[in-house]
């Protein structure tokens, strides 16, 4: 349901034109489309009502929890999406614990309210206890399929999750590489979360983890395709 919810975000923010938006748009791998699951996290930059929003659509299955943990290290908050027909699953709790350890703002939402959900009140009560929020005010009822409640959830993200504020010790220019991939034309593309300073093309950079110096050739954003910004 997360990738379907991401579709509605892309739709509401007009990041993708309606005629180009296909289901699970951010699932780019052929295997993801074949199986209907998210395997690799995908970042996207969106602009809505004068706000810049950066989303990372993550896998939900516990087999890909390492993907999730790297994404959570790069953000200020997380939408905890619970499938109303499935209830709270073990993998939901596992990922919630990682988010709590990183002191992220958690926004819980129940998906698939467009269909009859048995024991919805009981599910909402359970979620309020594990996330420690108000059952009525702080749990959002949505349908990623129809879009019901999604704009309200997006507004909650803006209201509740703070602007970028994480800082790390070290030089003013600092960033975390949370993912990467190889492009046969562009070379290694590092997916980075910038914590401080500015990064420009043809800038000398330094990887702290393995004492490696290199020069960036191009910088930009995921929109969700690569968009050069300079």
């Amino acid at each position: 349901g997360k990738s379907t919810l991401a579709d509605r975000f892309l739709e509401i923010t007009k990041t993708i034109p309606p005629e180009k938006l296909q289901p699970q748009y951010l699932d780019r791998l052929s295997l993801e489309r074949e199986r209907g699951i998210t395997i690799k996290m995908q970042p996207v930059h969106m602009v809505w009502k004068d706000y810049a929003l950066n989303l990372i659509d993550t896998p939900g299955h516990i087999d890909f929890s390492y993907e999730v943990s790297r994404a959570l290290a790069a953000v200020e908050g997380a939408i905890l999406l619970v499938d109303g027909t499935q209830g709270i699953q073990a993998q939901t709790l596992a990922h919630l614990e990682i988010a709590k350890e990183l002191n992220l703002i958690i926004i819980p939402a129940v998906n698939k309210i467009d269909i009859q959900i048995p024991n919805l009140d009981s599910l909402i009560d359970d979620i309020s206890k594990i996330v420690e929020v108000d059952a009525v005010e702080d749990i959002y009822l949505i349908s990623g399929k129809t879009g019901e409640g999604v704009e309200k959830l997006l507004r909650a993200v803006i209201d509740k999750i703070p602007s970028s504020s994480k800082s790390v010790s070290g030089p003013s220019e600092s960033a975390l590489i949370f993912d990467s991939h190889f492009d046969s034309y562009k070379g290694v593309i590092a997916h980075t979360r910038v914590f401080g300073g500015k990064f420009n093309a043809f800038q000398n950079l330094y990887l702290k983890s393995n004492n490696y110096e290199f020069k960036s050739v191009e910088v930009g954003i995921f929109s969700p395709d690569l968009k050069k910004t300079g």
Side-chain angles (χ1 to χ4, degrees):
K2 290 178 297 305
S3 295
T4 303
L5 173 59
D7 288 346
R8 300 290 76 75
F9 285 160
L10 295 173
E11 188 175 56
I12 290 170
T13 60
K14 296 181 171 58
T15 303
I16 303 296
E19 65 274 11
K20 292 185 177 181
L21 190 62
Q22 55 181 323
Q24 287 87 50
Y25 190 89
L26 295 181
D27 287 341
R28 297 303 183 88
L29 301 178
S30 57
L31 184 61
E32 291 179 317
R33 295 204 159 277
E34 180 186 326
R35 300 293 176 88
I37 59 171
T38 300
I39 297 171
K40 189 157 184 64
M41 59 178 156
Q42 177 65 42
V44 59
H45 177 86
M46 305 175 291
V47 176
W48 187 60
K49 296 185 183 296
D50 297 324
Y51 291 94
L53 300 165
N54 292 287
L55 167 77
I56 304 178
D57 180 28
T58 67
H61 198 279
I62 197 67
D63 287 352
F64 308 114
S65 59
Y66 181 54
E67 284 277 305
V68 180
S69 66
R70 286 187 287 125
L72 291 177
V75 298
E76 272 74 32
I79 296 171
L80 185 73
L81 193 62
V82 177
D83 185 329
T85 63
Q86 300 290 329
I88 301 169
Q89 298 175 292
Q91 59 204 24
T92 308
L93 295 173
H95 294 151
L96 174 61
E97 286 307 308
I98 297 172
K100 282 183 174 180
E101 288 173 9
L102 293 168
N103 296 315
L104 301 187
I105 301 295
I106 311 296
I107 300 179
V110 177
N111 194 23
K112 300 187 179 178
I113 62 163
D114 52 298
I115 59 180
Q116 187 65 37
I117 298 176
N119 305 317
L120 178 59
D121 290 341
S122 176
L123 174 61
I124 291 172
D125 188 53
D126 289 341
I127 293 172
S128 70
K129 290 175 181 175
I130 64 168
V131 187
E132 299 175 359
V133 296
D134 186 278
V136 178
E137 296 292 328
D138 298 321
I139 298 176
Y140 295 83
L141 305 180
I142 70 159
S143 169
K145 183 179 179 180
T146 67
E148 183 180 352
V150 174
E151 188 164 327
K152 187 178 179 182
L153 176 61
L154 195 57
R155 172 55 63 182
V157 168
I158 292 170
D159 292 341
K160 296 185 178 186
I161 297 177
S163 299
S164 306
S165 60
K166 287 183 178 178
S167 60
V168 292
S169 59
S172 59
E173 283 83 16
S174 58
L176 170 71
I177 298 176
F178 60 87
D179 199 8
S180 64
H181 72 274
F182 183 79
D183 183 279
S184 54
Y185 296 101
K186 296 178 181 291
V188 175
I189 297 175
H191 305 201
T192 58
R193 160 64 206 277
V194 175
F195 287 107
K198 293 183 178 181
F199 288 81
N200 305 297
F202 304 107
Q203 180 179 1
N204 290 318
L205 299 172
Y206 171 72
L207 279 183
K208 188 176 180 181
S209 60
N210 54 357
N211 193 28
Y212 179 73
E213 293 185 12
F214 66 101
K215 181 174 288 188
S216 59
V217 176
E218 186 177 294
V219 296
I221 58 175
F222 294 93
S223 66
D225 296 318
L226 297 178
K227 182 181 179 181
K228 184 178 177 180
T229 61

